[in-house]
Amino acid sequence: MPFSSLANNRERSYLDGQLLIAMPGMADGNFARSVVYVCAHSQAGAMGFIINRPQSLTFADVLLHLEMIDRADAIMLPEHARDFPIQSGGPVEVGRGFVLHTDDYLSDSSIPVSDDISLTATLDVVRAISDGRGPRRATMLLGYAGWGPGQLEHEIANNGWLNCPATEDIIFDRALEGKYERALALMGVTPAMLSADAGHA
């Protein structure tokens, strides 16, 4: 599902707001040991973000690229902006930024994902974060993960993913190393318990 379809497709499905946790047999190297937060799932496909992949860019780099600050201002950014997390959200549209955040911040372009989590992909949220007016918890993701019609359901049926309800702590946890294991722990599962063979945990 392309991101452009997300705003027009707001009927919630059973996978919206869920985590996908890659099984050991995941064939696609883009998703090995990944934890994905699903933002939209319908007959048209699915769209979400990998939430445990680091990104070498900083928030200051993003602001400079968007020409929202100049290089002299970059060193003057407040700590909350300097430390704001940037992650690699997936292999689709990797040059595009998205902010996943708690619903205490909403703009006209924000899209509710669940009762507590929203997605904004416009500059207003970037400005709000840099000015200290942003959401309580948020992360910026470059790129996203997309699936065509029936593709994700097929991957789940073929033992590519486990799924479980997401928690705010897992979504916004800045300690990316070990997030895969912590996501599995939500289901009472450890990596040693998983098999690459077809079946259900």
Side-chain angles (χ1 to χ4, degrees), residues 83-101:
D83 295 342
F84 187 75
I86 312 289
Q87 297 181 53
S88 294
V92 184
E93 291 193 58
V94 294
R96 186 168 184 181
F98 305 84
V99 178
L100 200 59
H101 57 87

Side-chain angles (χ1 to χ4, degrees), residues 56-168:
S56 59
L57 290 176
T58 67
F59 191 62
D61 292 331
V62 171
L63 295 176
L64 286 165
H65 175 74
L66 295 171
E67 299 182 350
M68 296 176 73
I69 60 171
D70 59 34
R71 197 156 294 281
D73 293 333
I75 59 171
M76 303 297 290
L77 281 174
E79 185 177 352
H80 74 267
R82 285 198 310 273
D83 295 342
F84 187 75
I86 312 289
Q87 297 181 53
S88 294
V92 184
E93 291 193 58
V94 294
R96 186 168 184 181
F98 305 84
V99 178
L100 200 59
H101 57 87
T102 47
D103 66 355
D104 53 321
Y105 173 89
L106 290 174
S107 73
D108 291 342
S109 57
S110 297
I111 301 169
V113 175
S114 69
D115 291 340
D116 307 309
I117 305 297
S118 293
L119 176 68
T120 305
T122 50
L123 292 181
D124 51 350
V125 71
V126 177
R127 286 192 192 94
I129 291 164
S130 63
D131 294 343
R133 300 178 290 105
R136 177 175 51 85
R137 300 183 83 174
T139 187
M140 176 176 277
L141 302 122
L142 301 183
Y144 65 92
W147 292 264
Q151 183 182 359
L152 181 55
E153 294 89 332
H154 178 76
E155 291 179 8
I156 291 172
N158 283 283
N159 209 42
W161 302 97
L162 293 173
N163 65 281
C164 70
T167 67
E168 188 179 299

Side-chain angles (χ1 to χ4, degrees), residues 21-22 162 179-191 194:
I21 306 168
L162 293 173
K179 187 179 282 195
Y180 179 76
E181 288 79 7
R182 292 192 297 280
L184 285 173
L186 294 174
M187 304 178 70
V189 173
T190 66
L194 299 179

Side-chain angles (χ1 to χ4, degrees), residues 23-45:
M23 289 287 284
M26 172 58 67
D28 187 336
N30 287 314
F31 295 104
R33 287 182 57 84
S34 67
V35 180
V36 176
Y37 179 68
V38 179
C39 289
H41 171 244
S42 72
Q43 291 183 343

